[in-house]
Amino acid sequence: MTTFEEIASTVDAQLPAHRAQLEDLVRIPSVSADSFDQSQVRKSAEAVASLARDRGLDVEVIQLHTESGKVGRPAVLAHRSAQDGKPTVLLYAHHDVQPEGDPAGWDSEPFEPIERDGRLYGRGSADDKAGIMVHMAALAALGESTGVGVTLFIEGEEEVGSPTFHDFLETYQDRLKADVIVVADSNNWKVGTPSLTTSLRGVTSMSVRLDVLDHALHSGMYGGPVLDAVTLMARLIATLHNDDGSVAVEGLTAYDDADAEYLEEDMRVDAGVLEGVELAGNGSIASRLWTKPAISVIGMDVTSVAKSSNTLTPSCTAQISMRVAPGQNPREAADALAAHLESNAPFGAHVSVDIKEAGPAFKAGGDTPATIAARWALEEAWGSESVDIGVGGSIPFISDLNQVFPDAEILVTGVEDPDTRAHSQNESLHLADWRNAIVAEAALIARLGNEL
Ligand SMILES: [Zn+2]
């Protein structure tokens, strides 16, 4: 058995060494985008592998070749077996980074880590090399004392959309199998306030074609009794929302139980909403972003202004994108939207819908034992209440994990805060929060092993 204080003091004693290892990782420009030097991605995989070996794990660097001919970036897969029937935890992070972008936007060298005002600056200092080092430091603090099985999976292609992730999960399913999965690649609500990311919206998109005439007509000769396709498409699109801007489609899941409070004035600034423009929808801002559906028109094929003439347009196609609330099957939501569009065809216009994509949402499994343990660990480490947050977009690899390992409890944690600027210039890590994240993860693993 151990105590929380023992874990925290071990982490603190080892922290300078882990900070140095984090800085070494940041110095490797492991940009996974195709036009960058992929030998650096290999180099960072080898560096991560060596850190895992130092922690007593069996380590392999794997570059997956799929049957369909795709080649993955080097990923690190490392393992230590569980003892005495204890659970196994899968620790996920990624070692690739985004390009540095315009160097003029950086106040210091992107790949030379430097501390200013309690933050460590550099590309990957937070996203996600700090996530890797949370896992490494937690493992180092615990040694083999907990008996918990550990699988470390550090991929090298997250920043290019994890193209071979699903294949990797299926190929190495037996080696990745775990009771609890910790994904250290999200953010905390703010500096000093830890979070679990418990929901991600799903996404679906469809094209809607509206036909009203079998050919274009002179608008002077026929305009009046016949409405053009663009006007009718506008009427159809207008049926998607109620007068307050909330989604009007039957059969969509929506709920309002967001834990965090996102103030309207903050959201206006963050989103750049112009003065006088009213926000749409109802319920809390956080629920409108995270737990309710959203429908947007993202494209339309119509005659351009430059090519327009006095003609009634016979047909028109719009591309509609919908964010789906966590908990609803995106295919079911897409069918509901398609049915709405077809049954609201204005003036009997012919409407046909082609569903293009349906990516699943993610909703954590409520107050599962691992979630309760994680919340406890976060609150002990930070000395402040943990807030459940959502993300309005989707993180495709989390739904992949959920699909391949439906029985595992997935915990989405992270080291980022609103000032981190992941993917942007002057990316940085809040060092005190990073230390807290390490303590929390070590305490969580010890508790999963019944040693704390
Ligand atoms: Zn990331």
Side-chain angles (χ1 to χ4, degrees):
M1 291 297 278
T2 182
T3 65
F4 185 87
E5 289 69 29
E6 278 169 5
I7 287 177
S9 69
T10 306
V11 168
D12 286 331
Q14 296 174 340
L15 201 61
H18 291 130
R19 161 84 179 269
Q21 289 168 358
L22 171 60
E23 293 188 7
D24 286 343
L25 289 180
V26 174
R27 287 189 187 96
I28 305 170
S30 51
V31 180
S32 51
D34 277 328
S35 52
F36 288 76
D37 178 4
Q38 296 302 301
S39 72
Q40 297 294 341
V41 180
R42 163 67 55 178
K43 193 175 162 192
S44 73
E46 297 294 350
V48 171
S50 151
L51 294 173
R53 243 171 243 122
D54 292 346
R55 282 142 185 91
L57 305 183
D58 292 327
V59 186
E60 196 180 345
V61 176
I62 297 172
Q63 189 155 14
L64 189 73
H65 291 71
T66 72
E67 278 174 19
S68 62
K70 284 187 279 185
V71 181
R73 268 78 170 171
V76 179
L77 184 56
H79 186 69
R80 181 169 70 217
S81 297
Q83 295 162 12
D84 318 322
K86 295 209 172 173
T88 293
V89 58
L90 170 65
L91 305 175
Y92 168 92
H94 61 90
H95 67 88
D96 62 320
V97 297
Q98 285 279 331
E100 68 270 32
D102 182 0
W106 285 85
D107 294 335
S108 53
E109 290 295 314
F111 296 105
E112 185 45 58
I114 185 165
E115 181 178 346
R116 292 192 298 272
D117 301 326
R119 304 188 69 101
L120 185 70
Y121 286 81
R123 171 60 80 233
S125 62
D127 181 19
D128 189 26
K129 288 171 171 171
I132 299 172
M133 288 311 303
V134 167
H135 299 323
M136 295 292 180
L139 294 177
L142 296 170
E144 297 191 21
S145 62
T146 65
V148 171
V150 173
T151 301
L152 194 65
F153 173 33
I154 310 293
E155 70 159 319
E157 56 181 36
E158 198 278 338
E159 302 294 7
V160 288
S162 304
T164 66
F165 191 87
H166 199 92
D167 295 291
F168 195 100
L169 292 190
E170 298 212 310
T171 307
Y172 296 100
Q173 195 164 353
D174 292 342
R175 284 163 69 177
L176 290 162
K177 200 169 176 325
D179 303 286
V180 176
I181 300 173
V182 180
V183 175
D185 191 25
S186 189
N187 49 304
N188 291 306
W189 182 233
K190 44 181 90 148
V191 167
T193 304
S195 297
L196 288 175
T197 300
T198 55
S199 72
L200 301 166
R201 287 195 290 196
V203 66
T204 179
S205 69
M206 58 193 66
S207 66
V208 187
R209 185 184 159 108
L210 184 149
D211 292 281
V212 66
L213 295 163
D214 65 7
H215 63 280
L217 291 177
H218 190 295
S219 62
M221 291 188 55
Y222 291 101
V226 179
L227 292 178
D228 66 89
V230 182
T231 297
L232 292 176
M233 180 64 88
R235 293 181 77 95
L236 176 58
I237 288 169
T239 67
L240 296 172
H241 294 93
N242 297 311
D243 285 348
D244 70 352
S246 59
V247 169
V249 176
E250 293 282 326
L252 297 181
T253 301
Y255 51 95
D256 189 356
D257 65 352
D259 195 9
E261 194 187 355
Y262 193 6
L263 296 176
E264 177 167 340
E265 50 271 37
D266 293 344
M267 190 259 156
R268 283 181 166 280
V269 173
D270 293 348
V273 179
L274 297 182
E275 186 161 352
V277 174
E278 293 167 24
L279 298 189
N282 52 51
S284 71
I285 301 284
S287 73
R288 287 184 241 176
L289 292 168
W290 300 340
T291 60
K292 294 186 172 190
I295 299 179
S296 313
V297 179
I298 57 172
M300 211 186 285
D301 289 341
V302 293
T303 309
S304 68
V305 172
K307 289 191 177 153
S308 61
S309 62
N310 282 324
T311 305
L312 297 177
T313 303
S315 58
C316 169
T317 303
Q319 184 73 7
I320 298 189
S321 163
M322 178 167 65
R323 297 290 168 177
V324 179
Q328 182 162 38
N329 180 321
R331 187 67 216 195
E332 173 192 299
D335 288 343
L337 176 54
H340 174 101
L341 291 163
E342 283 162 356
S343 64
N344 281 279
F347 290 84
H350 298 189
V351 170
S352 56
V353 178
D354 182 13
I355 297 172
K356 305 279 189 199
E357 110 179 273
F362 167 72
K363 190 174 187 333
D367 288 338
T368 63
T371 307
I372 292 168
R375 238 181 242 130
W376 164 83
L378 291 168
E379 293 181 355
E380 287 290 315
W382 260 266
S384 145
E385 207 173 319
S386 169
V387 176
D388 286 353
I389 60 172
V391 172
S394 45
I395 306 180
F397 73 80
I398 292 185
S399 0
D400 283 339
L401 283 169
N402 212 4
Q403 264 172 18
V404 180
F405 303 111
D407 299 327
E409 294 181 62
I410 300 179
L411 302 171
V412 183
T413 64
V415 295
E416 296 176 25
D417 64 77
D419 281 335
T420 292
R421 303 192 193 182
H423 300 194
S424 177
Q425 287 110 334
N426 292 323
E427 174 180 349
S428 69
L429 170 71
H430 190 274
L431 287 161
D433 274 4
W434 177 62
R435 175 267 181 202
N436 293 340
I438 296 167
V439 173
E441 187 164 303
L444 167 66
I445 295 170
R447 182 149 276 201
L448 293 175
N450 272 327
E451 293 294 329
L452 173 63

